[in-house]
Amino acid sequence: MEEAEVLCDRLEIFVDGSLQCIGNPKQLKARYGRSYVFTITTSNQEEEVVEVLVRRISPNTAKIYHLSGTQKFELPKHEVKIADVFHAVEDAKSKFTIQAWGLADTTLEDGIIKVARGGQAFDELS
């Protein structure tokens, strides 16, 4: 995907042979990457507390991954200030052990996956 971002001035995304969208990498990331990805690792016993913490940061968050204490959430950019995430994590560290955490912008690959899932969902409904 990194090569596509650097080398291509226009990308087309096909799902099952059907054109879903076309645009340059920046346009596609802006259109389909409207969230941050927040990853946090704690003990299994703290998973519910983490979910409450994340919902306080962003009520419309979506959990996208969960395995053995590691959870990933999509936080809508329009609801979240990066500083608020840092403050919430620092505050949470005094209440329970956080083994690792990270906040990342969505990538072009994340956007393409969203388009592909949307195209598959559409095909399943028709």
Side-chain angles (χ1 to χ4, degrees):
M1 287 301 128
E2 292 173 13
E3 295 87 358
E5 282 189 71
V6 174
L7 297 175
C8 298
D9 60 350
R10 186 162 296 217
L11 296 170
E12 297 175 354
I13 301 174
F14 286 82
V15 177
D16 294 327
S18 175
L19 179 65
Q20 298 296 312
C21 62
I22 186 169
N24 69 44
K26 285 185 181 181
Q27 289 173 325
L28 296 176
K29 280 177 66 173
R31 185 172 191 183
Y32 298 104
R34 296 182 179 155
S35 59
Y36 295 112
V37 177
F38 178 65
T39 307
I40 187 165
T41 303
T42 61
S43 69
N44 290 342
Q45 293 79 24
E46 304 295 345
E47 289 177 353
E48 289 181 27
V49 176
V50 168
E51 191 153 357
V52 169
L53 166 77
V54 174
R55 297 245 179 249
R56 259 189 268 133
I57 296 169
S58 173
N60 295 314
T61 191
K63 186 188 278 190
I64 57 174
Y65 178 82
H66 169 239
L67 180 66
S68 186
T70 299
Q71 300 177 78
K72 274 189 182 182
F73 301 90
E74 279 188 342
L75 310 175
K77 287 183 180 178
H78 67 277
E79 287 185 358
V80 177
K81 293 182 182 175
I82 294 174
D84 293 342
V85 176
F86 276 80
H87 290 300
V89 170
E90 285 302 313
D91 183 48
K93 283 181 180 179
S94 66
K95 298 175 182 162
F96 56 91
T97 302
I98 297 175
Q99 297 167 357
W101 73 279
L103 184 67
D105 200 356
T106 50
T107 63
L108 180 60
E109 183 176 3
D110 294 330
I112 290 171
I113 290 170
K114 281 185 182 179
V115 171
R117 285 185 180 150
Q120 289 170 349
F122 178 75
D123 287 342
E124 289 171 6
L125 294 175
S126 54

